[in-house]
Amino acid sequence: MSQTFAAHDLLFKMMISEAEIQERVKEMGAELTARYMDKNPLFVGVLNGAFIFTADLMRACNLACEVDFVRISSYAGLQSTGQIDLIMELKTSIKARHLIIVEDIIDTGRTLHHFIAQLKKQEPASIAIATLLLKPEALEYPLDIDFIGFDIPNKFVIGYGLDYDEQGRHLNAIYQLVEAE
Ligand code: XMP
Ligand code: MG
């Protein structure tokens, strides 16, 4: 796997390898399996970024489970826009269900903070968050995050579902932006 990747006008370098990701996803799957055995949890993947992580995390679990997706916010370019829109809603009724919200990355926490407040109104049995990446330094909104793949520094990253203006989602590793000196 290549150490660098060029997307549009920017250069990215590898931060987390494919092997590291796969190992961590397996561990998270084992944790979820233990926690949710006999609960038939509903994985709620947040599109587009979490599509690969959701697929891998589900397959790392060994239990009865279901999946649905939402599409929430617009995130154009490198900065969070502050706009929360539920563009695509859940098809599944979540009342009395155990939900596992699956995110690619939590930055300020704004997206999930608002989304979870909406979900609670529909009275699920429980809500947990599983995120592949967390930028602890960037977190501004209160959020209980139950399952974290990796804490990363406050760098812009792509790969494994994450994009820079739609490029880079197909990469099997996580790449960070190389900033000009
Ligand atoms: P908040 O601030 O709401 O942001 O926690 C979460 C959403 O912002 C996007 N995001 C990123 N996307 N590289 C990306 O490709 C990044 O480094 C990055 N940081 C935040 C992402 O869509 C996430 O759902
Ligand atoms: Mg996302």
Side-chain angles (χ1 to χ4, degrees), residues 46-50 73 75 103-105 111 161-163 169:
V46 181
L47 295 174
N48 288 340
S73 83
Y75 188 90
E103 257 289 23
D104 50 357
I105 187 165
T111 311
L162 293 131
D163 71 302
R169 294 195 195 274

Side-chain angles (χ1 to χ4, degrees), residues 117-131:
Q118 287 191 21
L119 289 175
K120 279 185 178 161
K121 293 180 196 156
Q122 298 170 60
E123 301 177 343
S126 68
I127 304 178
I129 299 174
T131 187

Side-chain angles (χ1 to χ4, degrees), residues 51-176:
F51 79 112
I52 293 178
F53 181 46
T54 306
D56 282 355
L57 188 63
M58 257 194 112
R59 288 178 295 171
C61 292
N62 185 12
L63 77 176
C65 58
E66 298 174 17
V67 67
D68 201 346
F69 291 94
V70 290
R71 183 182 283 248
I72 305 180
S73 83
S74 55
Y75 188 90
L78 302 179
Q79 296 292 316
S80 275
T81 58
Q83 197 69 38
I84 306 293
D85 296 318
L86 210 54
I87 299 161
M88 192 181 107
E89 303 197 19
L90 287 166
K91 298 262 184 290
T92 319
S93 165
I94 62 167
K95 194 174 168 82
R97 296 293 305 265
H98 292 279
L99 307 183
I100 303 167
I101 314 304
V102 185
E103 257 289 23
D104 50 357
I105 187 165
I106 296 173
D107 191 334
T108 64
R110 185 193 296 117
T111 311
L112 285 192
H113 177 78
H114 292 289
F115 181 47
I116 282 177
Q118 287 191 21
L119 289 175
K120 279 185 178 161
K121 293 180 196 156
Q122 298 170 60
E123 301 177 343
S126 68
I127 304 178
I129 299 174
T131 187
L132 180 72
L133 305 174
L134 172 69
K135 294 177 177 174
E137 294 159 30
L139 201 59
E140 289 174 28
Y141 289 74
L143 215 52
D144 286 329
I145 310 169
D146 308 76
F147 305 95
I148 300 165
F150 301 90
D151 282 344
I152 63 166
N154 202 357
K155 303 274 185 199
F156 187 77
V157 293
I158 63 170
Y160 199 72
L162 293 131
D163 71 302
Y164 167 45
D165 283 347
E166 298 307 324
Q167 292 289 305
R169 294 195 195 274
H170 66 293
L171 298 165
N172 284 322
I174 297 290
Y175 290 75
Q176 75 175 72

Side-chain angles (χ1 to χ4, degrees), residues 9-26:
D9 51 332
L10 297 179
L11 184 67
F12 293 80
K13 67 174 182 195
M14 194 185 287
M15 175 193 264
I16 307 171
S17 72
E18 177 180 2
E20 288 172 304
I21 294 171
Q22 291 308 325
E23 193 188 320
R24 188 73 189 107
V25 169
K26 265 195 204 147

